[in-house]
Amino acid sequence: YSDIIDRNFQAWVFKQNAGHIHFTDEQMDWLRTIKDFIATNLSITKDDLDLPIFADRGGLGKFYTVFGSRYESILDEMNLALAA
């Protein structure tokens, strides 16, 4: 299953980068951590960003700072693209 998640993640990031979105290194670190979380837990919600794996990075507040108003749509898109 993790191979499917990895493949879907690569395709999703490539699609995003091919458009008008180009992720920073900090954003990619967050996205990789979220990918790993989805591979283990099948999905992610904004409440999950308060779990220790994310809280150590600043939790939901930091995630919002890094992704801005797109923070919820990023989570939704990743849930759909990675687990599909």
Side-chain angles (χ1 to χ4, degrees), residues 17-55:
N17 284 335
H20 65 282
I21 297 171
H22 298 280
F23 295 118
T24 66
D25 290 340
E26 183 178 22
Q27 289 173 327
M28 284 304 300
D29 287 342
W30 273 95
L31 296 175
R32 284 186 200 97
T33 304
I34 291 168
K35 172 194 62 98
D36 293 342
F37 186 87
I38 290 172
T40 304
N41 298 283
L42 305 177
S43 67
I44 189 166
T45 67
K46 67 180 184 178
D47 293 337
D48 292 326
L49 295 174
D50 290 326
L51 295 172
I53 189 172
F54 299 109

